[in-house]
Amino acid sequence: MKGLLRAGVVVLVAASAVVAWQDRTERRELLRLRDDVVRARGAATECARDLAVEEADFRVLDARVDSLRSVVDTLEALDPRGVPARRYGEYLSTVDSYNDEVDRWEAAAESLQAAEDACRVQVETFNALADSVRGRPGGDSQGSNDAGS
């Protein structure tokens, strides 16, 4: 009888140790995930800020391209036979500027698209991590508000 009682106590102590170890492991994992969520939120927020600046710069460039196109159109419309000789130097210079700005616009548009794609990945990563924390026992919504974009 004493042997059975001792074996029961040993099993109970061993089970308690395993449960305590699992609890500590789960807590450490949850804390690591929460840290990952905070870092991912920071990355997504920084990306969104940088994207907003790049979008504003692109809008300025876009307006400059539109303005140059308007000047070219105006110069071309001065005479049905073509640009007047006295304005031809101005016209050529404006067309060159327009072409240069269009090249910049195209590069900026590609860069902006790449930045948007990168930010989308950052936000999706944040959301996935936040969802994984929310789905765990002991995981709450702390640090898991949508980084949105």
Side-chain angles (χ1 to χ4, degrees), residues 44-60:
T45 300
E46 181 179 351
C47 191
R49 270 195 311 265
D50 293 346
L51 182 61
V53 169
E54 191 169 346
E55 286 173 339
D57 291 345
F58 182 79
R59 282 191 293 276
V60 169

Side-chain angles (χ1 to χ4, degrees), residues 59-74:
R59 282 191 293 276
V60 169
L61 178 59
D62 191 52
R64 191 165 49 240
V65 168
D66 285 348
S67 176
L68 285 168
R69 181 71 236 177
S70 178
V71 172
V72 168
D73 290 345
T74 299

Side-chain angles (χ1 to χ4, degrees), residues 9-22:
V9 169
V10 168
V11 168
L12 185 59
V13 169
S16 294
V18 167
V19 168
W21 175 78
Q22 285 177 331

